[in-house]
Amino acid sequence: MAKRANGDGSISQRKNGTYEGRVYVTTTSGVRKRVSVYGKTRDEAREKITQLQAQEAQGIPTPDTNMKLEEYLNYWLAKVVKVNRRPKTYQGYESVVRVHLVPGLGRKKIRTLRAAEVRTWLARVATECQCCKHGWDEDRREPQCCAAGECCKTVLSRRMVQSIHAVLRNALQNAVREELIVRNVATLVQIPTPTYDTGKGLSVAEARLLLREAADDRLHALYVLALVMGMRRGELLGLRWDAVNFDRGTLTVERSLQRVDGELALVRPKTAASVRTIPLPPVVVTALTDHRERQAQERVAAGMEWKEHGLVFTSRIGTPLEPDNLRRSWYPLRRKLGLDIRFHDLRHSAVTLLLDLGVPPHIVRQIVGHSDIGVTMKIYAHASLDEQRKALGKLGEALG
């Protein structure tokens, strides 16, 4: 029997019946090292040895880490995401890692993680009942569904599954850049694309009615800014008076109010396009002037309890307005008008109304701070049914 040449590798059976293959390779640290691979059969171990030898022949180094995915994800969150990304982004990534990735794949080694394992796990995540998984019904005083023997089949949305996949993909891509692994197996896994509902836009008549009904609301100016300027909720609640220049007639969007780690904080907007200076039309100047006078009266009424933060929209004692508490004003208003829309749909309405008036899309994009003009046009295409009806009516008349 011919003797194996150096680098050919060897295979032996382990006590548990599986097979271990060993072969010399060059690692990412530049050291020549003997590494082990494992398989349920001798052929599977041989195939893995062959893959390593093929990479060696192509000059691709083999990662020399046995780090588990849980260890790597914790490192990535602390040293990469927390340092380079916005607090809200870190908070979202950390939640996905803690709730989904670590319990599901945390014990896997990043060096040996396979696309098939990720694909199988994601498919299971998309179909398993979250109530059963987390014991939500068991925590109730009186079980209503899963703990009572009737599974409620509360599954994750497609968008959430996509987010889980995206976090894993981003984490492993960083591992590739740091030469801890050779390839990102998450990129090989395809998942169903979620559908995004861009909401409903208001007509000019509905927008006028809303502003008229909100005239006596202490947040009337907020609704004017949302409908006319297309500002986001966080941008409105994070707006400071020093960002409003009445002399020049401009407003600068440069901060957003968000809840981060349980605390309200002013953060930079997510994209560079979101930071913008917008001219103020007369209707907005009037609304802000009236609001400033109303706030001055509230400051006097609050006396020593007033906490000055320099914000345009605050509580009755000057503190930042809790984003979720905006519904205390919005819900009664929309119910009174019989409107089945979200507050964010006021922003969509601004886009639609501006485009309906013939404003060029690139100007609308600058006003509302979209990162891409495709987003502007997608909202318009989804919401402008009246304009489509008019266009088709004209075509029908011409052909009729």
Side-chain angles (χ1 to χ4, degrees):
M1 183 175 177
K3 183 179 179 182
R4 288 191 306 272
N6 287 338
D8 273 2
S10 61
I11 300 176
S12 59
Q13 189 170 21
R14 307 170 74 203
K15 290 182 180 180
N16 62 2
T18 60
Y19 290 83
E20 177 184 8
R22 309 196 72 188
V23 62
Y24 279 97
V25 294
T26 303
T27 66
T28 50
S29 58
V31 177
R32 185 102 175 134
K33 182 180 179 181
R34 197 179 191 191
V35 299
S36 294
V37 293
Y38 302 93
K40 294 181 180 179
T41 64
R42 183 179 292 273
D43 287 343
E44 187 178 341
R46 166 58 62 191
E47 183 181 350
K48 292 182 178 180
I49 286 178
T50 302
Q51 290 175 353
L52 289 177
Q53 291 170 333
Q55 292 176 8
E56 183 79 4
Q58 296 171 22
I60 301 174
T62 298
D64 55 0
T65 178
N66 284 320
M67 186 182 293
K68 291 181 179 178
L69 185 62
E70 179 178 3
E71 299 173 71
Y72 173 72
L73 289 173
N74 289 332
Y75 153 78
W76 173 69
L77 284 172
K79 303 298 183 181
V80 180
V81 180
K82 198 165 192 176
V83 174
N84 299 310
R85 304 300 290 271
R86 299 164 71 245
K88 196 72 172 179
T89 302
Y90 169 81
Q91 186 174 314
Y93 281 16
E94 188 278 332
S95 176
V96 168
V97 167
R98 172 172 42 82
V99 176
H100 301 287
L101 292 176
V102 167
L105 297 171
R107 297 182 62 82
K108 303 285 184 181
K109 293 181 180 178
I110 61 170
R111 180 169 61 85
T112 57
L113 184 64
R114 296 164 53 225
E117 293 173 319
V118 175
R119 187 180 300 109
T120 301
W121 175 72
L122 278 174
R124 186 171 68 250
V125 166
T127 57
E128 63 185 347
C129 174
Q130 296 300 299
C131 182
C132 291
K133 180 179 179 180
H134 299 290
W136 295 337
D137 195 39
E138 293 176 2
D139 294 337
R140 296 189 177 111
R141 182 174 299 176
E142 294 183 10
Q144 301 172 9
C145 49
C146 299
E150 295 183 14
C151 180
C152 62
K153 294 181 170 48
T154 302
V155 299
L156 295 176
S157 66
R158 279 191 175 186
R159 187 171 185 177
M160 188 66 225
V161 176
Q162 185 192 47
S163 296
I164 295 170
H165 176 251
V167 172
L168 178 62
R169 186 184 66 239
N170 291 344
L172 294 182
Q173 193 58 40
N174 186 76
V176 172
R177 285 192 290 269
E178 296 187 1
E179 296 186 325
L180 296 176
I181 54 177
V182 175
R183 66 176 181 174
N184 183 347
V185 295
T187 61
L188 305 177
V189 179
Q190 292 184 327
I191 61 171
T193 303
T195 55
Y196 295 95
D197 182 5
T198 55
K200 306 168 185 176
L202 297 179
S203 66
V204 172
E206 289 173 328
R208 281 177 178 165
L209 180 60
L210 187 150
L211 293 181
R212 188 162 60 246
E213 289 295 330
D216 295 329
D217 195 297
R218 64 183 297 270
L219 296 179
H220 173 253
L222 182 142
Y223 294 118
V224 173
L225 285 170
L227 265 174
V228 178
M229 316 288 279
M231 292 174 66
R232 301 173 177 91
R233 182 184 67 171
E235 294 172 346
L236 290 164
L237 300 184
L239 181 64
R240 295 175 54 86
W241 282 115
D242 57 18
V244 181
N245 190 322
F246 286 102
D247 294 332
R248 294 181 58 192
T250 61
L251 179 154
T252 300
V253 179
E254 56 185 352
R255 290 287 184 272
S256 180
L257 185 70
Q258 294 181 353
R259 181 162 290 283
V260 180
D261 294 331
E263 302 290 334
L264 287 176
L266 290 173
V267 301
R268 294 283 290 179
K270 188 170 185 178
T271 66
S274 297
V275 180
R276 59 201 188 276
T277 297
I278 324 167
L280 295 176
V283 64
V284 174
V285 173
T286 300
L288 285 174
T289 302
D290 292 345
H291 181 77
R292 186 168 56 173
E293 175 61 29
R294 186 198 300 264
Q295 190 179 78
Q297 294 173 4
E298 289 182 344
R299 186 183 291 108
V300 172
M304 296 296 293
E305 291 186 18
W306 183 267
K307 305 291 190 301
E308 185 58 59
H309 288 79
L311 294 170
V312 175
F313 301 110
T314 67
S315 69
R316 295 183 185 276
I317 59 170
T319 54
L321 199 60
E322 174 67 53
D324 287 341
N325 285 350
L326 181 58
R327 65 168 66 100
R328 293 180 182 176
S329 169
W330 170 240
Y331 280 13
L333 181 59
R334 74 172 190 179
R335 188 164 51 246
K336 184 178 181 180
L337 296 173
L339 297 174
D340 181 23
I341 61 172
R342 307 164 301 171
F343 180 81
H344 193 70
D345 291 329
L346 301 184
R347 172 173 165 81
H348 293 161
S349 298
V351 173
T352 303
L353 295 175
L354 284 168
L355 289 169
D356 279 348
L357 291 170
V359 180
H362 69 281
I363 300 297
V364 177
R365 175 200 169 194
Q366 291 173 348
I367 291 173
V368 300
H370 283 151
S371 59
D372 189 290
I373 200 167
V375 178
T376 310
M377 297 312 298
K378 180 180 178 182
I379 291 174
Y380 184 59
H382 197 281
S384 59
L385 291 178
D386 287 342
E387 291 303 304
Q388 294 175 40
R389 188 174 289 109
K390 291 177 186 176
L392 289 173
K394 289 179 180 178
L395 178 60
E397 290 173 6
L399 296 179

